[in-house]
Amino acid sequence: MASTSASREPLQALQALRGIAALAVVLMHFKEWMVKFSPGLAAVAQYGYVGVDVFFLISGFIIFHATAAPESRQALPFLIRRLCRVVLPAWVAMALLVLIKPPYLIDLVRGLAFLPRETGHPPYFGHGFLIVAWTLTYELLFYGVFALALATAWSRARRGGVAAALLLAAMLAGQAAAGHFTLDATQTQPVGRSTGVQELSLWPLLTLLSSPMFIEFIVGIGLAAAFAWRGGEPFRRCGGWVVLAGALLTVGGAVWPGLDGHGPTRAGAFAFGVAVLTLGVQARLDAGGWSAARAWISPLAWLGGCSYSLYLFHPLVKAGLQPVVSTLAPAPLAGLTLAALLACIGVAALMHRWVELPAQDFGKRLSRRLATRQSR
């Protein structure tokens, strides 16, 4: 288990990976613009969805890492911090998107409640009007399960194992109810009855809870436990070998099973290799090596700090510019696409400063008050 101080050290390489993953998702969402002026670039950008699998692995890692200190393991304060961190900025993004592209009322209700739209089309189960919000439902369910793992004193030291067991139990229970066991996230079957996009039902939420996508959070927890083992000394000592292993796993994941959809048996295998490689780089940095690498990691780490805002708000930039795209020739469209990508980063920096950080601060203040009351 990592020490308290270790849990607060910046994981610069991992933060840089978050920035790359967010940028990959942004590029994917602009691929239909790119195909009109650079089909080759669009062909590469279409694989940007792998960033989501990377996010899930990182999320599992960070949640375990951030609760290393005993004072960070109170269930309700933990949950309050995470809800404020994730939900409040997402609600701001949704509110602004309503002004640009008003949704149907049922879609607005589902979006604000982070409810999936249907029991079909796994692992998305229907995109909400904020297209990236489907992943937040997975995140919030993961936080809820992790909070359960922190809820009893005997489980706090073993929070990773308890959370992993609860996630697996929920997934298997859902799949048992559906009568279909699978590790392929694209083959999840409906729990209960099938629902369509015009219905408001909890069946899609129960179906989502049975998705193998949660295995990626479990793998992230495992990576965090390995990284923190014996104070992180084994990882730092073998950082170079971990980088090599991560590179081989990355290549292997790209070749087999390949980048064909989300989930641990698909793009998640590639994401796992990338995560291992990144942790190897982090281990080398922690050991005082590869100091020259910090120069190019630093700007990516800055982007990683804004990654959640970049992820949330880039659809608004695209929606605002979409009406003029069909009128442009390839050359002007290429310029607009570049300007839009830069605008996405600029908007993300602003929203990180004025929305995301205040939401985090509010969550920390509220959680401290709750923790103080619980300790009395």
Side-chain angles (χ1 to χ4, degrees):
M1 182 184 300
S3 66
T4 301
S5 60
S7 70
R8 294 173 181 168
E9 291 175 359
L11 297 169
Q12 196 174 35
L14 206 64
Q15 189 80 320
L17 180 59
R18 288 179 62 184
I20 294 170
L23 190 58
V25 173
V26 173
L27 291 172
M28 179 197 67
H29 286 148
F30 280 91
K31 68 181 185 298
E32 68 268 25
W33 293 16
M34 297 177 189
V35 75
K36 298 179 180 179
F37 61 84
S38 178
L41 184 59
V44 175
Q46 70 177 329
Y47 293 109
Y49 62 80
V50 175
V52 168
D53 297 84
V54 172
F55 278 138
F56 283 7
L57 286 167
I58 292 177
S59 184
F61 184 102
I62 291 297
I63 293 304
F64 183 89
H65 183 79
T67 53
E71 63 268 22
S72 300
R73 298 180 197 164
Q74 291 180 302
L76 187 56
F78 161 80
L79 200 54
I80 291 295
R81 289 194 302 272
R82 298 315 301 176
L83 289 176
C84 291
R85 168 76 172 84
V86 171
V87 172
L88 296 184
W91 279 348
V92 172
M94 290 178 191
L96 294 175
L97 186 57
V98 166
L99 301 177
I100 299 171
K101 189 178 180 181
Y104 291 110
L105 180 59
I106 190 173
D107 290 331
L108 177 60
V109 171
R110 267 194 298 242
L112 292 173
F114 300 95
L115 292 173
R117 300 180 75 200
E118 57 181 308
T119 53
H121 302 98
Y124 313 99
F125 302 107
H127 289 102
F129 75 97
L130 179 61
I131 192 171
V132 298
W134 69 273
T135 64
L136 303 185
T137 307
Y138 285 96
E139 291 275 356
L140 293 173
L141 287 171
F142 169 56
Y143 300 154
V145 170
F146 203 92
L148 287 176
L150 298 176
T152 56
W154 65 266
S155 69
R156 288 176 185 170
R158 301 176 178 85
R159 61 202 183 283
V162 173
L166 290 173
L167 285 170
L168 281 175
M171 185 190 82
L172 292 174
Q175 293 189 6
H180 179 78
F181 292 94
T182 182
L183 293 177
D184 187 343
T186 68
Q187 299 301 314
T188 307
Q189 297 299 305
V191 174
R193 63 180 180 84
S194 297
T195 61
V197 296
Q198 297 306 316
E199 297 181 67
L200 193 60
S201 169
L202 291 178
W203 289 120
L205 190 64
L206 295 175
T207 301
L208 184 145
L209 192 56
S210 71
S211 173
M213 291 295 291
F214 287 101
I215 293 175
E216 296 183 347
F217 293 104
I218 294 172
V219 172
I221 290 173
L223 287 174
F227 189 77
W229 184 54
R230 293 188 176 179
E233 180 58 30
F235 232 95
R236 288 192 292 271
R237 189 169 59 247
C238 301
W241 290 106
V242 175
V243 170
L244 177 60
L248 293 174
L249 288 168
T250 300
V251 173
V255 175
W256 186 88
L259 307 181
D260 181 23
H262 295 292
T265 62
R266 294 175 180 265
F270 173 83
F272 174 70
V274 171
V276 171
L277 189 156
T278 303
L279 290 176
V281 172
Q282 184 65 55
R284 292 296 299 139
L285 293 175
D286 291 346
W290 294 3
S291 56
R294 295 183 186 274
W296 57 266
I297 288 178
S298 292
L300 290 174
W302 173 85
L303 185 63
C306 303
S307 60
Y308 185 51
S309 290
L310 180 60
Y311 186 73
L312 281 181
F313 291 97
H314 79 269
L316 282 68
V317 176
K318 184 182 177 184
L321 296 174
Q322 189 66 47
V324 305
V325 170
S326 59
T327 66
L328 297 179
L333 181 56
L336 179 65
T337 302
L338 178 59
L341 294 174
L342 294 175
C344 287
I345 295 174
V347 168
L350 290 173
M351 292 300 172
H352 176 69
R353 172 64 181 84
W354 297 108
V355 175
E356 190 179 348
L357 289 180
Q360 290 181 41
D361 290 340
F362 175 73
K364 290 175 183 176
R365 291 197 303 271
L366 186 56
S367 68
R368 280 196 293 267
R369 291 176 188 172
L370 289 171
T372 301
R373 290 178 183 176
Q374 289 180 348
S375 63
R376 288 175 180 173

